[in-house]
Amino acid sequence: MTEPRPDSVVIHYHEIALKGDNRPMFVRRLTDNLRKTVSGLGKIRILTPRGRILLYLDDETPGPILNERLCGVFGIANFSPAYRCSTEPEAIEALVDRLLDSKTFKTFRISARRGDKTYPLTSMELNVRLGRHVQEKTMARVDLENPGVTIHVELLQREALVYFEKLAGPGGLPVGVSGHVLSLISGGIDSPVASYLMMKRGCTVGFVHFHGYPHLTKASLEKAEELVQHLTRHQFRSHLYAVAFGEVQRLIVLSVPPPLRVVLYRRFMHRIAEEIAHRERASALITGENLGQVASQTLENLTVIQEAARLPVLRPLIGFDKEEIIDRAKTIGTYPVSIQPDQDCCRLFIPPHPSVAARLDDVLKAESKLDVHGLVKMGLETVEMREFHV
Ligand code: ATP
Ligand code: MG
């Protein structure tokens, strides 16, 4: 016998993230994000009874697509395709009978939860009553430790929900509750993961990419675009600013000794990114930098690079191992794009051994020979913005 179609989905969020005044804002944002998530999947109603979110599906809603989309919605701890009925114990028993028809199992457990504390039976009493009922109908045994089937029952004020499985959501906070940031995305492995982690902490993320055009191809930009498109599923809409950086680099090279070039490139990237951040109303810059991963990412160099920007520079990967970052990139789905070959602009005109500990004095001296303002302006004049949608 085939399983009946679920008519709803119960969504649970982490209660712990919801202390105090944040709760209504968090739930409202999560609900808004869910509305965008389910768009195009039929007429779905979204309700917010205490402590959870409910989706009422229609007959057309494609379950697998819906589940896949829900797995990308930050703020969801877990979710369950579910079946609704009225709250009388007899109605719940009848629904459970109907649902169990399509299942074979030797052991089971009932897990009842009351969202509505005025319900005449306690959770325990309902567990016992339903347990006895299922035992009589199916001859299966109760096993609380390792049941073949768990029958979850949630009692709300006007209805009961029955479901069997809890699917893991991605956790985190709903995108939009923590403000807006601008991520420097390179096309490599790390910066997409850093951007993802910021979204997971509730930020919306804008993106900026620097390519070496006209001295290199725009291949890295295509990768950045693909990565941004992929990440957009978590926030529904993204902006990517592409900066042609090759000419700025060429002018830096004319007067800056080779060992300092990478650090100077980065300082100019931060300056240009900061101007774009103001346009985007972003309140921090994000990078995929990671302490000691490559010679240029020493504490000394990170400090000197950051000195060029006034906005805070956040580095969500600072404490990660490279293996952890790669694992994350694979789970998130950015890895296959990131490892495609490209022409990274940072490798333009640099020596095999860039400085591992640039001194701010030396850097400022080198920059004093440059028209800093003019170079930033020149970079900004090349900016092209593209908008991405899910
Ligand atoms: P990634 O894997 O993100 O490229 P990485 O380990 O290769 O990082 P670097 O290439 O040194 O490290 O870059 C450090 C950080 O600087 C990147 O994570 C990214 O945030 C930023 N960055 C580097 N190159 C670019 C670029 N071309 N455009 C935008 N941001 C960049
Ligand atoms: Mg890189």
Side-chain angles (χ1 to χ4, degrees):
M1 189 153 184
T2 56
E3 232 171 84
R5 268 176 81 85
D7 55 22
S8 48
V9 176
V10 193
I11 295 172
H12 292 118
Y13 35 82
H14 284 297
E15 294 288 329
I16 204 134
L18 292 184
K19 296 239 170 79
D21 299 342
N22 287 335
R23 188 194 184 101
M25 199 255 283
F26 178 109
V27 174
R28 209 176 318 120
R29 183 62 71 150
L30 184 51
T31 311
D32 281 355
N33 291 349
L34 283 167
R35 195 163 294 122
K36 293 174 190 158
T37 302
V38 303
S39 97
L41 299 183
K43 250 178 106 116
I44 296 180
R45 273 183 67 201
I46 303 178
L47 296 89
T48 52
R50 227 188 121 65
R52 47 190 65 64
I53 297 180
L54 281 184
L55 307 181
Y56 284 3
L57 310 182
D58 78 11
D59 294 341
E60 309 296 312
T61 306
I65 297 180
L66 176 64
N67 291 354
E68 200 213 304
R69 287 199 195 170
L70 292 177
C71 286
V73 180
F74 295 125
I76 297 182
N78 61 68
F79 63 96
S80 305
Y83 305 84
R84 286 152 37 211
C85 66
S86 62
T87 55
E88 297 84 42
E90 295 75 18
I92 301 172
E93 285 169 356
L95 174 58
V96 167
D97 287 347
R98 189 162 68 83
L99 297 175
L100 291 182
D101 260 355
S102 59
K103 293 193 186 295
T104 42
F105 56 97
K106 292 205 175 66
T107 58
F108 73 98
R109 178 176 84 132
I110 311 280
S111 171
R113 257 171 79 171
R114 290 188 312 170
D116 171 21
K117 301 292 178 208
T118 62
Y119 193 71
L121 300 180
T122 64
S123 304
M124 194 42 88
E125 287 164 347
L126 191 62
N127 279 339
V128 171
R129 174 168 173 163
L130 286 176
R132 212 170 275 145
H133 175 82
V134 172
Q135 224 163 0
E136 278 165 17
K137 283 269 173 181
T138 64
M139 311 303 281
R141 267 185 314 111
V142 171
D143 180 346
L144 298 181
E145 293 297 315
N146 195 16
V149 171
T150 300
I151 304 163
H152 297 270
V153 179
E154 283 190 30
L155 287 155
L156 308 182
Q157 232 163 10
R158 285 192 203 86
E159 63 187 348
L161 294 150
V162 176
Y163 56 88
F164 298 97
E165 50 177 358
K166 288 191 179 191
L167 305 172
L173 301 174
V175 162
V177 297
S178 307
H180 188 53
V181 295
L182 182 69
S183 179
L184 284 76
I185 190 160
S186 68
I189 296 169
D190 302 347
S191 35
V193 177
S195 311
Y196 173 95
L197 290 176
M198 293 310 295
M199 290 178 184
K200 189 171 175 198
R201 293 321 299 161
C203 289
T204 52
V205 178
F207 298 90
V208 56
H209 175 75
F210 297 84
H211 54 83
Y213 191 80
H215 301 288
L216 296 173
T217 69
K218 290 186 179 178
S220 68
L221 175 59
E222 281 159 26
K223 279 173 70 180
E225 286 175 341
E226 212 174 319
L227 291 165
V228 170
Q229 181 65 66
H230 185 81
L231 291 169
T232 298
R233 76 187 189 108
H234 303 288
Q235 61 179 8
F236 316 106
R237 202 173 74 109
S238 307
H239 288 165
L240 168 63
Y241 295 83
V243 183
F245 199 53
E247 199 47 23
V248 176
Q249 287 179 286
R250 191 182 68 80
L251 293 170
I252 292 174
V253 165
L254 289 181
S255 67
V256 174
L260 287 182
R261 285 176 190 167
V262 172
V263 168
L264 255 81
Y265 293 167
R266 287 288 156 74
R267 282 171 61 88
F268 277 92
M269 283 185 184
H270 279 63
R271 289 188 176 105
I272 294 170
E274 184 163 48
E275 291 302 320
I276 295 171
H278 291 318
R279 283 188 206 172
E280 270 271 302
R281 297 175 181 277
S283 40
L285 300 179
I286 309 302
T287 76
E289 286 162 326
N290 176 259
L291 202 56
Q293 197 190 86
V294 291
S296 65
Q297 294 181 23
T298 56
L299 203 47
E300 289 86 347
N301 282 356
L302 295 185
T303 308
V304 172
I305 292 167
Q306 159 156 355
E307 197 270 345
R310 274 147 303 174
L311 281 179
V313 180
L314 306 181
R315 305 178 181 90
L317 303 183
I318 201 75
F320 281 48
D321 291 336
K322 190 69 191 182
E323 286 72 29
E324 288 177 276
I325 301 173
I326 290 175
D327 284 350
R328 286 288 188 131
K330 287 179 178 165
T331 319
I332 296 167
T334 51
Y335 187 74
V337 181
S338 291
I339 58 171
Q340 285 164 30
D342 64 16
Q343 295 190 317
D344 187 310
C345 69
C346 292
R347 305 212 209 304
L348 198 58
F349 318 121
I350 60 156
H353 301 291
S355 171
V356 293
R359 292 186 31 214
L360 186 59
D361 286 352
D362 298 338
V363 167
L364 293 177
K365 207 160 108 203
E367 277 183 0
S368 69
K369 302 202 185 85
L370 296 168
D371 172 11
V372 173
H373 183 72
L375 289 177
V376 170
K377 192 157 162 272
M378 175 189 236
L380 286 172
E381 275 162 7
T382 70
V383 169
E384 285 172 23
M385 197 270 274
R386 241 192 92 183
E387 196 167 314
F388 293 78
H389 298 271
V390 279

